[in-house]
Amino acid sequence: MFAGILGGKWEKDKKKTAIFQDFNLDIIISKINAMSRGYDLQPLYSYVPEEREMIEYRRKITGDFRDPRLREIFREYSARIEKVKKYEKNSRYQNHTLQKEKWHSDALSLFAKAVTGLYEELAETTGYSEAMAEVREYVKEYIDGAAFCEWKELAGEIEEKMSGQAVTVSLRKNKIVLEEEEIPADFLKRVTEIFDLPEPEEKKRVEAEKNLSRFEEMLAEQVIKKEKLQKKLKQLMEVKIPEGFLDLAYEAQFYLGFYRFVEWMEKNGYVFALPVQGEEICVTAGYDAALAIKEEGRKVVPNDFSLGGEERFFVITGANGGGKTTFARMAGQILYFGQMGLLVPCRDAKLPYFNEILSHFSKEESNETGKGKLMEELMRLKPMMERDSKNCFVVLNELFTTAAALDAGAMGKKVLEHFIRSGCLGIYVTHIQKLAQEGERIVSLVAELEADHHTRSFKIVRKPAEKGEYEDSLITKYGMTYEQMKKVIEHEY
């Protein structure tokens, strides 16, 4: 059974987890939302799938939506459905019976055009995945159904009689009278020519997308009575538009809005990849998309990373301001969009499926509770470590910076051991270099400096954490190398 273009049911009121703020996902999602032309897509992006089947389904649909033609098909469908919803809302809040019936009839007529048009367009396209074929079959099954065919014919008949019938109207003693026969066109033409009169206006019709004027109401009442449409209108009022087709238009915006963002990023020189499933992590030229948004016009430095075999955790050390936290956010964004079944911000990506993505980024001490920074960190860590976190990816950024180095190292080691023992993969950004030397399951990454030992390259590379590298950076930064100090002393004395 077709469960929606997102691959299944999703929670509409899902609360955001820490990753949205920690990875700066809110910046990216806000940008997508701003490009979505009136749609609020925040609820769709707040729900992160955990089921492998849902993620796989979304990746297939995402691959299909790479085709601009398919995106245009769903944009047209969504635009029609938005009008349908507008008409239905007008009908729902209208007190006048005739006006209520008109809005509902217009909504059904437009809905019929929307779903039949969608099927006809999808039927003419080829090369899409079996997931898109399911969408096409879902639409086909509905429009081939007896119920749809019956009310579509009924709505078409009413629309034709109400708006397609031309009549001649005259006023007699403040009453509207429909003439049984129209005045011949050639006679009208002769009269207008003889008396030099303007050309007669087109015959009055009931217009769509507008409330009926009093004159139109009276005209419609006459047509309904003459054509005996009262029972048919009531019958049509019982027809309900299936929620699944309204949801389809909204859920399609999940992909349409994302691709608008991708197109904007590509114009700024960035690339995206559709990840392939694998047991190991392998990413080429990944970048922080939120940083790219904030620093539009300035190229963000890309990084590669891989984690496989017995490897479980990256431990990232190096100079402050060298890009360690940016790297952690970049990896988190790639994993998040991978879990969402979308393209990811990099050139190529192989990713496993995770049950959940967890994060803990250091925050300042709380002014509200009076708790110190270390206590805040421990309180956030406690529920993460108590839950069943098997097959999760964990991103930990700069823990225990207010603790003594010996205590920070001991606590950091316990945290790493816990998550590795629980079957997690992850990233630990830290100033404790010893944590990068804790065994074969740990991969040491270092924020590399340029040859001058001061300038940040923003490249995060695989290599052992080098004792003194961080200190060398600070010494160089503040002009305290041997050569620099020697020059100062010689100048002073």
Side-chain angles (χ1 to χ4, degrees):
M1 182 180 178
F2 181 72
I5 203 170
L6 296 181
K9 292 184 177 180
W10 52 277
E11 296 179 34
K12 296 184 179 180
D13 299 319
K14 183 73 171 179
K15 291 183 179 179
K16 292 182 180 179
T17 61
I19 67 170
F20 288 88
Q21 185 174 359
D22 289 345
F23 301 159
N24 283 344
L25 293 171
D26 283 340
I27 294 173
I28 303 172
I29 296 168
S30 293
K31 185 69 174 179
I32 294 172
N33 222 33
M35 294 178 167
S36 296
R37 304 174 185 179
Y39 290 94
D40 180 14
L41 303 182
Q42 294 277 357
L44 296 178
Y45 283 90
S46 298
Y47 177 78
V48 183
E50 298 177 5
E51 301 80 8
R52 176 170 176 164
E53 295 75 15
M54 179 181 267
I55 299 168
E56 289 177 342
Y57 180 91
R58 288 185 177 193
R59 283 184 184 172
K60 291 174 183 176
I61 297 292
T62 296
D64 293 335
F65 267 78
R66 276 179 160 172
D67 181 7
R69 174 59 186 150
L70 185 65
R71 298 202 295 272
E72 186 57 38
I73 289 171
F74 276 94
R75 284 193 192 104
E76 177 65 25
Y77 173 74
S78 297
R80 284 176 166 176
I81 291 300
E82 283 304 300
K83 279 192 174 183
V84 168
K85 290 163 66 177
K86 174 186 173 183
Y87 293 176
E88 283 290 74
K89 183 178 179 181
N90 289 344
S91 175
R92 188 164 56 253
Y93 293 108
Q94 178 59 243
N95 292 324
H96 193 285
T97 301
L98 187 58
Q99 182 67 69
K100 183 186 287 285
E101 291 171 342
K102 174 192 177 294
W103 280 121
H104 183 64
S105 177
D106 290 344
L108 289 176
S109 296
L110 184 56
F111 173 68
K113 292 175 184 175
V115 291
T116 53
L118 177 61
Y119 173 72
E120 289 168 359
E121 294 284 0
L122 292 178
E124 292 180 1
T125 56
T126 57
Y128 297 141
S129 70
E130 63 272 21
M132 188 55 63
E134 287 181 11
V135 179
R136 185 175 62 242
E137 289 307 307
Y138 168 67
V139 181
K140 183 178 187 300
E141 183 179 349
Y142 176 73
I143 64 177
D144 285 346
F148 173 79
C149 294
E150 183 179 343
W151 72 251
K152 180 188 174 186
E153 183 179 353
L154 181 61
E157 178 189 349
I158 292 173
E159 181 181 23
E160 181 182 358
K161 295 201 180 211
M162 292 296 293
S163 59
Q165 178 176 332
V167 294
T168 302
V169 181
S170 61
L171 292 174
R172 297 179 188 173
K173 296 182 180 180
N174 295 326
K175 292 182 180 181
I176 291 180
V177 179
L178 303 184
E179 301 293 346
E180 293 296 330
E181 297 181 2
E182 296 185 19
I183 302 175
D186 58 342
F187 176 74
L188 285 175
K189 184 178 181 181
R190 286 176 58 199
V191 170
T192 55
E193 288 175 351
I194 292 171
F195 293 97
D196 194 24
L197 298 173
E199 291 289 328
E201 295 182 3
E202 292 185 9
K203 298 176 176 66
K204 189 68 179 177
R205 299 175 186 270
V206 178
E207 298 182 27
E209 292 196 59
K210 291 173 66 176
N211 283 321
L212 297 171
S213 66
R214 180 55 186 149
F215 175 77
E216 289 172 326
E217 286 177 10
M218 296 169 68
L219 176 58
E221 287 168 357
Q222 292 285 346
V223 175
I224 291 169
K225 183 176 180 181
K226 179 187 175 215
E227 299 293 337
K228 299 179 180 178
L229 297 177
Q230 296 92 331
K231 185 177 180 180
K232 292 180 180 179
L233 280 168
K234 289 182 180 179
Q235 184 180 345
L236 201 62
M237 285 298 293
E238 299 298 319
V239 177
K240 305 297 181 187
I241 295 173
E243 287 291 331
F245 284 94
L246 303 181
D247 292 340
L248 178 62
Y250 175 57
E251 292 178 0
Q253 295 302 316
F254 173 75
Y255 303 98
L256 295 175
F258 182 76
Y259 269 101
R260 290 190 189 99
F261 170 68
V262 168
E263 289 173 344
W264 179 80
M265 289 286 286
E266 288 176 341
K267 288 178 181 177
N268 287 293
Y270 294 97
V271 295
F272 285 80
L274 185 64
V276 297
Q277 195 277 331
E279 296 303 316
E280 301 179 349
I281 296 176
C282 186
V283 172
T284 305
Y287 59 91
D288 181 342
L291 185 60
I293 293 171
K294 289 194 291 185
E295 299 193 7
E296 185 179 354
R298 181 179 172 186
K299 194 67 174 176
V300 175
V301 175
N303 274 288
D304 305 339
F305 62 97
S306 60
L307 197 67
E310 296 300 313
E311 298 169 345
R312 291 294 177 266
F313 252 82
F314 293 117
V315 175
I316 310 177
T317 58
N320 285 349
K324 301 189 302 295
T325 298
T326 297
F327 181 94
R329 286 196 175 109
M330 172 267 292
Q333 291 168 17
I334 290 172
L335 292 169
Y336 164 77
F337 284 111
Q339 284 293 111
M340 295 295 284
L342 295 167
L343 305 181
V344 296
C346 64
R347 184 181 300 132
D348 294 294
K350 179 186 289 185
L351 302 174
Y353 296 108
F354 293 103
N355 293 338
E356 194 172 6
I357 303 170
L358 304 173
S359 68
H360 184 302
F361 277 47
S362 180
K363 290 180 171 56
E364 297 301 321
E365 62 185 53
S366 172
N367 293 324
E368 294 182 3
T369 64
K371 293 183 175 67
K373 187 175 181 180
L374 180 59
M375 181 59 71
E376 290 282 0
E377 289 177 344
L378 293 172
M379 289 180 66
R380 286 187 63 199
L381 268 174
K382 186 174 184 289
M384 289 174 60
M385 298 179 72
E386 287 179 342
R387 69 198 302 163
D388 180 11
S389 53
K390 185 177 180 181
N391 194 37
C392 291
F393 195 95
V394 183
V395 182
L396 307 169
N397 185 63
E398 297 286 9
L399 297 180
F400 315 131
T401 54
T402 58
L406 187 62
D407 293 336
M411 288 187 289
K413 182 179 179 180
K414 290 286 186 184
V415 170
L416 274 173
E417 288 176 345
H418 168 81
F419 284 116
I420 290 174
R421 189 169 56 248
S422 299
C424 297
L425 304 183
I427 295 173
Y428 193 143
V429 176
T430 181
H431 62 285
I432 308 295
Q433 293 177 332
K434 184 179 178 182
L435 292 176
Q437 305 162 358
E438 291 295 337
E440 63 179 9
R441 296 195 168 193
I442 301 296
V443 176
S444 173
L445 299 181
V446 177
E448 196 171 48
L449 299 173
E450 301 288 3
D452 60 7
H453 293 280
H454 168 56
T455 305
R456 275 68 171 156
S457 69
F458 304 110
K459 300 297 288 187
I460 309 298
V461 298
R462 269 190 182 231
K463 70 176 187 178
E466 297 178 7
K467 186 174 177 58
E469 183 175 37
Y470 172 60
E471 292 83 355
D472 285 349
S473 171
L474 292 177
I475 290 169
T476 305
K477 178 180 180 181
Y478 292 105
M480 297 176 65
T481 65
Y482 173 78
E483 293 297 329
Q484 290 167 326
M485 293 295 290
K486 183 178 177 181
K487 288 181 180 179
V488 171
I489 293 171
E490 289 175 349
H491 180 268
E492 291 293 331
Y493 298 100

